Amino acid sequence: MNTKDPEKLFLEKVQHLLDQGAKNLGSRTERRLEEARLDALSAVEGKRSGFFLPRRWVLAGSFAMATLVAAALFFLLSPSTETLPAGDLDELEIITSRERLDIYQNLDFYRWLGSKENRMRPNGKGL
Amino acid sequence: MDSALESTEMLNRFLAEVERRAFQMAKFATGHRDEALDLVQEAMLRFVRHYSVRPRQEWNVLFYRILRSRITDWYRRTFVRRKILAWLGRSGEEDPEDPLQSLPDTVNPNPSDQVLRHEERGVLEKAIRALPLRQQQAFLLRAWEGMDLKQTAFAMKCSEGSVKTHYFRAVHTLRGLLEGHRS
């Protein structure tokens, strides 16, 4: 006597029928499935070994070289950020002062003017 | 190198194990042999590209999740195409059934038993094809693929409660249809 649950029996039968159906797919379908599987596997093999192909190395090398050249050009052509050598305290004052530059550009004239004024003063102490 | 070969071999074995059932599932869903083959191929490619690095015990559920997703995409595309064709006043062309499908199984020595089984299988497959997509998927993943509730819910991207409902309805419908056919 079979005491199995009718739903279980039904499901077993369904499984059996479905398995039978999957077994007999026909040679054309089976061939296509095998091709699909092999295509997928070759894709994963390509993915694994892809980086070691010479073409990839050439590309990676070219990219690294281009980056290096770009970096070198950038550092060579960009304005220097080094601190200016302050040889003299006067020069440093000139550089850092906010006064008008034309005074320093015509420095000889102002020196001459100063000496002339000194000479015009009777005690040599100026005006 | 050896481990790469080993994992390729493992993948090959896994795909060979699931490809027939995957094809049948896709065929139940689409009703077309070539469409089903394309969907299985897409699922295989996607699986090996993105998920083959995952642990072996996860492969089955992941593969069917991808396949289900491909089938759902196919449904959406077909729905839009049919709408457009209907709007243009044309119906979608139907692919002829694979003639090899109707060839008798020469392995079985008893012809009458074979005819009965063949007929019963035909009724079952037709009934599964007639189920709504979600019921069809829940039924096939649970009853045929042997997934538990949690795995089926993951593969179908829905809750366990939904799986229970879809599965129960599918079993109820199929039992009714098959018992009706027998009587």
Side-chain angles (χ1 to χ4, degrees):
Chain A
M1 196 176 98
N2 198 344
T3 53
K4 267 192 174 177
D5 175 18
E7 190 172 314
K8 211 169 178 184
L9 279 172
F10 164 74
L11 290 174
E12 277 175 7
K13 182 157 194 165
V14 165
Q15 268 181 2
H16 176 72
L17 288 173
L18 289 171
D19 284 340
Q20 285 295 112
K23 257 187 213 167
N24 304 307
L25 295 177
S27 58
R28 217 176 76 183
T29 305
E30 283 169 5
R31 206 172 48 246
R32 280 275 313 268
L33 281 172
E34 194 182 349
E35 280 169 14
R37 174 161 38 96
L38 295 177
D39 278 356
L41 290 172
S42 64
V44 77
E45 275 167 8
K47 191 181 157 189
R48 274 189 198 128
S49 60
F51 189 74
F52 299 101
L53 291 172
R55 198 165 61 97
R56 290 282 175 97
W57 278 107
V58 170
L59 279 174
S62 310
F63 180 74
M65 184 59 82
T67 311
L68 201 68
V69 169
L73 283 173
F74 174 78
F75 285 114
L76 283 174
L77 298 178
S78 63
S80 175
T81 54
E82 281 178 32
T83 51
L84 290 168
D88 195 348
L89 199 61
D90 288 340
E91 286 174 16
L92 189 68
E93 279 175 5
I94 290 167
I95 292 165
T96 56
S97 73
R98 288 171 179 268
E99 286 175 44
R100 289 180 58 181
L101 276 176
D102 59 346
I103 293 173
Y104 301 103
Q105 281 165 357
N106 301 316
L107 204 59
D108 290 340
F109 169 72
Y110 291 113
R111 276 185 185 143
W112 170 79
L113 192 65
S115 63
K116 201 171 181 185
E117 282 171 352
N118 285 343
R119 262 184 271 131
M120 283 170 68
R121 285 178 190 158
N123 55 2
K125 285 182 180 175
L127 290 171
Chain B
M1 191 69 185
D2 280 350
S3 69
L5 274 174
E6 214 173 275
S7 67
T8 306
E9 185 47 41
M10 259 172 79
L11 265 174
N12 185 32
R13 258 183 279 135
F14 166 73
L15 293 175
E17 261 170 39
V18 293
E19 67 189 12
R20 286 164 178 269
R21 290 197 300 275
F23 167 74
Q24 286 290 76
M25 282 186 196
K27 199 177 165 211
F28 287 140
T30 61
H32 298 266
R33 191 187 75 101
D34 289 335
E35 301 275 11
L37 282 167
D38 287 348
L39 290 174
V40 173
Q41 183 165 21
E42 282 174 32
M44 281 180 173
L45 268 171
R46 194 167 172 76
F47 173 78
V48 298
R49 278 189 184 145
H50 301 282
Y51 301 99
S52 56
V53 288
R54 301 288 287 266
R56 171 67 181 85
Q57 61 269 25
E58 292 178 12
W59 284 3
N60 208 37
V61 182
L62 284 167
F63 178 78
Y64 281 108
R65 186 177 160 106
I66 297 165
L67 182 67
R68 190 213 60 86
S69 169
R70 300 284 97 191
I71 291 171
T72 310
D73 284 351
W74 180 88
Y75 250 73
R76 289 193 192 116
R77 282 200 309 270
T78 308
F79 179 78
V80 173
R81 197 173 61 201
R82 278 186 188 154
K83 283 273 171 198
I84 293 169
L85 288 172
W87 184 70
L88 293 170
R90 292 163 55 194
S91 64
E93 70 279 11
E94 293 294 316
D95 284 354
E97 187 68 23
D98 182 4
L100 288 169
Q101 294 295 316
S102 55
L103 286 177
D105 179 8
T106 50
V107 177
N108 194 326
N110 187 341
S112 61
D113 184 35
Q114 181 237 308
V115 168
L116 274 174
R117 274 196 194 166
H118 192 265
E119 197 185 322
E120 207 167 16
R121 205 173 74 210
V123 172
L124 173 71
E125 290 183 357
K126 199 175 168 188
I128 291 174
R129 230 173 283 157
L131 288 173
L133 184 63
R134 308 286 281 167
Q135 285 185 33
Q136 196 183 90
Q137 289 171 345
F139 178 77
L140 291 171
L141 291 174
R142 295 272 285 127
W144 197 20
E145 201 51 46
M147 286 187 191
D148 61 25
L149 261 182
K150 199 176 170 186
Q151 289 172 326
T152 313
F154 177 80
M156 289 180 65
K157 289 187 191 171
C158 67
S159 69
E160 290 179 22
S162 298
V163 173
K164 271 185 195 169
T165 311
H166 292 311
Y167 178 71
F168 174 78
R169 285 182 185 161
V171 170
H172 187 258
T173 310
L174 290 174
R175 276 186 79 176
L177 282 169
L178 290 179
E179 275 160 18
H181 169 73
R182 237 174 277 151
S183 61

